């Protein structure tokens, strides 16, 4: 009996799978076999889990990552069935002209799963950002919040400080990256309080970027000890790839980290992601 290839539900987040399906011309929701790299991080490209250990293919963004191993938090475990294909962002179809609305857009680090931005942290960040925009001479300012952080309280906090609040939508929406791209294109400068995937997208779209901003206190639920603990998310700059280079206007950083040189043709993607018989390194 033939074993059915395993797929990863996470491929649909942020519209990654749909972007690639649109690019190759697949009109239904046929899932991708294996796992597509979720986002950019300095330590780990892919979570090391049962799907990876089952031998299903893994699709990373860069050739460097394919050779270097993954999940650096656990010591750089090698995944031999990895293939470099570039970031799904590079396969987005069409970039409509977008009018500049904001002088500066902040895309700060966000809550994720069991890690929540602590109560009061957004108030502190909003106050800092409004003052930063004023001191730097930015006339209009907006913040793009992750859906986990967008609520009536954060909306009120930022609007009271004169900052518009944007969101790219739920991360399960297939249009997420298109909305994020629209927000980036509508801004002259993009900032984040850590080197991030969003800043790489902004650099690739030829926007000046800045790594600036207050660190955000997070509440982390630790199930092992059954209690909440707090931590400060600190960008450890020396550990971030590319931090030895100037991010502000160096588009080559984005070209390298998003894997533009690893972008595949439609035929290659079909063979790698859907037609298992054609999978090859």
């Amino acid at each position: 009996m033939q074993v059915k290839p395993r797929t990863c539900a996470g491929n649909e987040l942020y519209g990654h799978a749909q972007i690639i399906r649109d690019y190759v011309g697949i009109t239904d929701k046929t899932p991708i076999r294996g796992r597509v790299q979720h986002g950019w991080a300095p330590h780990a490209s892919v979570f090391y889990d049962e799907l990876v250990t089952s031998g299903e293919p893994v699709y990373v963004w860069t050739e460097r990552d394919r050779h270097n191993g993954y999940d650096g938090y656990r010591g750089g475990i090698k995944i031999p069935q990895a293939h470099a294909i570039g970031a799904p962002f590079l396969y987005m179809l069409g970039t409509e002209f977008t009018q500049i609305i904001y002088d500066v857009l902040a895309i700060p680090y966000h809550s994720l799963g069991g890690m929540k931005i602590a109560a009061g942290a957004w108030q502190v960040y909003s106050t800092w950002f409004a003052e930063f925009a004023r001191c730097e001479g930015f006339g209009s300012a907006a913040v793009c919040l992750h859906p986990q952080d967008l609520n009536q309280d954060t909306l009120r906090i930022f609007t009271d400080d004169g900052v518009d609040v944007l969101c790219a939508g739920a991360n399960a929406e297939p249009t997420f990256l298109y909305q994020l791209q629209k927000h980036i294109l509508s801004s002259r400068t993009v900032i984040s309080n850590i080197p991030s995937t969003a800043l790489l997208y902004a650099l690739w779209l030829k926007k000046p970027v800045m790594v600036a901003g207050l660190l955000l206190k997070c509440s982390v639920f630790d199930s092992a000890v059954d209690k909440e603990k707090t931590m400060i998310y600190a960008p450890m700059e020396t550990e971030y790839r590319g931090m030895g280079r100037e991010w502000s206007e160096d588009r080559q950083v984005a070209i390298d980290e998003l894997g533009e040189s690893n972008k595949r043709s439609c035929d290659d993607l079909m063979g790698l992601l859907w037609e298992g018989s054609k999978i090859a390194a």
Side-chain angles (χ1 to χ4, degrees), residues 19-59:
I19 287 168
I20 299 175
R21 283 193 291 258
D22 290 343
Y23 185 81
V24 302
I26 293 178
T27 57
D28 58 21
K29 296 292 185 180
T30 304
I32 291 171
R33 176 188 173 191
R35 183 193 293 281
V36 177
Q37 180 178 328
H38 180 76
W40 179 85
H43 304 290
S45 298
V46 177
F47 293 113
Y48 196 75
D49 60 9
E50 184 182 354
L51 186 141
V52 172
T53 58
S54 71
E56 294 293 349
V58 174
Y59 311 104

Side-chain angles (χ1 to χ4, degrees), residues 63-127:
E63 190 68 20
R64 182 196 58 236
D65 279 344
R66 189 173 83 84
H67 287 290
N68 285 353
Y70 312 94
D71 210 349
Y73 291 114
R74 302 171 193 260
I77 299 170
K78 300 290 184 180
I79 302 178
Q81 71 275 20
H83 311 274
I85 65 170
F89 183 84
L90 303 178
Y91 296 97
M92 293 168 64
L93 299 176
T95 302
E96 296 181 4
F97 171 77
T98 302
Q99 181 180 2
I100 297 295
I101 302 174
Y102 301 106
D103 291 318
V104 61
L105 171 67
I107 309 178
Y109 187 77
H110 56 81
S111 298
L112 183 64
M115 186 176 71
K116 306 292 184 183
I117 302 300
W122 287 120
Q123 180 66 72
V124 176
Y125 181 85
S126 178
T127 300

